[in-house]
Amino acid sequence: MRKRISTEVLRHWAPVAVCLLMILVLLAVPTGYEGAALYQEAERCSARVLEVDNSTILDTGLVRSGEQRCTVELLTGAFRGEIVTAVNMLNGSLEQDKIFTPGDRALVVVSHDGDEITNVTMSDHDRLGWEAVMAALFALFLLLFAGPAGIRAILSFVVTVLAIWKVLIPLYLRGADPIWLGLALTLVLTVLIIALVYGFDRRCAAAVSGSFLGILVTALLGIFFTQRLQIHGAVMAYSESLLYSGYQHLDLTRIFMASIFLGASGAVMDLSVDITSAVWEVVEKRPDLSWRAAVRSGVNVGRAAMGTMTTTLLFAYSGGYVALLMVFMAQGTPISHILNYKYVAAELVHTILGSFGLVSVAPFTALCAGFLATRKKRQ
């Protein structure tokens, strides 16, 4: 009895220990691009805007061009405490331009020659403070409503962010195959995240198996339809900037293919855990249930969940393109032209193929969960 309890405790807490170890390792591992700053003789620091001079800004309708001169106090860095004049260049783009007012916190680039400041450029608003408040509120509400499970959710969130930033992105830049690397990283994160929910047991094995099979289906369909629809990876925002920054070796199209199953993997894991939990609950209440009946129960749960999950993907992907759709409607663009537009086609690939993964993960997970949940009875 004591041995059984110790084994269950080990299975329950081992994922937490592994996750904490991974977080510590990822925090210590450098990306290799820390010294890749464009401006070596410059320092990025925070500043407070004291005064602004808008006399040289030219307003032409919605377009603002010219430059805004700001008197700022440097708050961080080697020149902390100095009051200097910084220039905010306006390019006539509402998307890219920033306008500062007295009292704003801003990020500035201080160009210097030794101990002498030569130029100060306004970069953007300093949003780190409110971003930290937002993250803290999220963590607080998660802990209040989920309790100890909220700690595990926060750990999974942190390890996923670090894995993407410290592993996926640097290896992509070094030319690693995006699809194979994406599948490998997704598998590792899937095992760890689901293990944080269940521990290392048969429920974890069932959910991971179903999730990864669904992700694999999404990956294969993504490769096939991206080629058939002739979508180039440059449809991804800022992707062309990589090519012009000295990374011509990158295969943007394969990165786009990998983004399809990476984007759907979270929803796939969610549905897989729901089905696995439902099958296990049914088998716990009915130990005499056959594995075929357990599988049918899992499939029925999956059918009920798929209707809302596919809509979730639709809202998630289309939410960022509302303005584009408004432009199409305002210009009277025919539906046939809209559907042929490469950006719309790319989002259709993301949405429909992500939904394919959700549809396929339900029977896969039901089969794995039904088989493993009734395995002890069969033995």
Side-chain angles (χ1 to χ4, degrees):
M1 181 69 178
R2 185 177 299 173
K3 182 179 179 181
R4 181 181 176 185
I5 293 175
S6 62
T7 303
E8 290 179 354
V9 170
L10 180 63
R11 287 177 177 176
H12 185 71
W13 290 105
V16 177
V18 173
C19 188
L20 288 172
L21 180 61
M22 281 190 63
I23 290 174
L24 293 175
V25 170
L26 290 172
L27 285 173
V29 171
T31 63
Y33 293 90
E34 287 82 5
L38 291 177
Y39 305 102
Q40 298 295 336
E41 295 299 325
E43 182 177 359
R44 300 175 184 272
C45 58
S46 181
R48 180 184 294 109
V49 179
L50 303 178
E51 298 178 4
V52 296
D53 179 7
N54 298 331
S55 60
T56 57
I57 295 179
L58 302 177
D59 291 315
T60 308
L62 293 175
V63 177
R64 310 191 81 180
S65 58
E67 64 180 39
Q68 180 188 40
R69 294 192 169 272
C70 305
T71 302
V72 301
E73 178 188 359
L74 303 180
L75 302 177
T76 59
F79 302 97
R80 178 179 179 179
E82 294 197 27
I83 297 177
V84 295
T85 300
V87 177
N88 175 32
M89 297 299 300
L90 303 176
N91 301 313
S93 170
L94 292 175
E95 178 184 3
Q96 298 178 0
D97 289 342
K98 291 82 58 178
I99 296 293
F100 298 92
T101 58
D104 288 348
R105 285 181 64 96
L107 293 176
V108 299
V109 178
V110 180
S111 301
H112 57 88
D113 184 6
D115 295 333
E116 182 181 354
I117 297 176
T118 57
N119 184 49
V120 181
T121 304
M122 305 294 288
S123 177
D124 211 329
H125 289 88
D126 187 353
R127 302 181 176 92
L128 290 179
W130 284 109
E131 288 173 350
V133 170
M134 183 171 57
L137 286 174
F138 167 71
L140 178 62
F141 276 101
L142 195 58
L143 292 174
L144 288 176
F145 286 102
I151 298 176
R152 293 171 178 261
I154 293 172
L155 288 176
S156 66
F157 185 87
V158 172
V159 77
T160 302
V161 170
L162 288 175
I164 292 173
W165 184 250
K166 289 294 192 81
V167 178
L168 189 75
I169 303 302
L171 291 181
Y172 272 7
L173 288 172
R174 290 185 174 91
D177 187 276
I179 294 175
W180 288 111
L181 175 61
L183 285 173
L185 186 66
T186 302
L187 177 58
V188 172
L189 291 176
T190 300
V191 171
L192 187 58
I193 292 169
I194 294 179
L196 285 169
V197 177
Y198 292 130
F200 289 120
D201 59 10
R202 286 180 296 162
R203 292 176 298 174
C204 177
V208 169
S209 300
S211 294
F212 194 69
L213 287 172
I215 291 169
L216 194 59
V217 168
T218 307
L220 294 175
L221 291 173
I223 295 171
F224 178 80
F225 281 102
T226 299
Q227 293 173 344
R228 297 283 86 75
L229 295 175
Q230 299 180 357
I231 298 175
H232 193 277
V235 295
M236 296 181 295
Y238 301 104
S239 57
E240 279 190 89
S241 301
L242 281 171
L243 303 181
Y244 303 138
S245 301
Y247 292 93
Q248 294 89 347
H249 63 282
L250 296 180
D251 190 336
L252 296 181
T253 302
R254 288 185 72 81
I255 295 175
F256 172 80
M257 293 174 180
S259 71
I260 297 171
F261 63 82
L262 283 171
S265 59
V268 167
M269 276 189 281
D270 186 20
L271 183 57
S272 181
V273 168
D274 290 343
I275 295 173
T276 301
S277 297
V279 171
W280 237 263
E281 187 68 20
V282 169
V283 174
E284 286 289 328
K285 295 294 187 294
R286 287 281 308 276
D288 60 320
L289 207 65
S290 67
W291 74 270
R292 289 183 178 85
V295 169
R296 283 196 297 271
S297 298
V299 171
N300 290 334
V301 172
R303 285 172 179 166
M306 277 187 292
T308 55
M309 292 299 292
T310 52
T311 310
T312 300
L313 284 182
L314 176 62
F315 279 120
Y317 288 127
S318 63
Y321 282 84
V322 170
L324 178 62
L325 297 176
M326 291 172 67
V327 170
F328 285 141
M329 181 168 289
Q331 295 178 347
T333 307
I335 292 293
S336 59
H337 288 207
I338 294 175
L339 294 178
N340 277 298
Y341 191 53
K342 62 180 180 180
Y343 289 100
V344 175
E347 289 307 305
L348 286 175
V349 168
H350 273 288
T351 304
I352 296 176
L353 297 188
S355 299
F356 258 110
L358 288 174
V359 172
S360 62
V361 78
F364 285 145
T365 305
L367 185 63
C368 296
F371 183 80
L372 291 175
T374 58
R375 180 184 175 187
K376 185 176 181 181
K377 183 189 72 173
R378 293 196 310 275
Q379 290 176 344

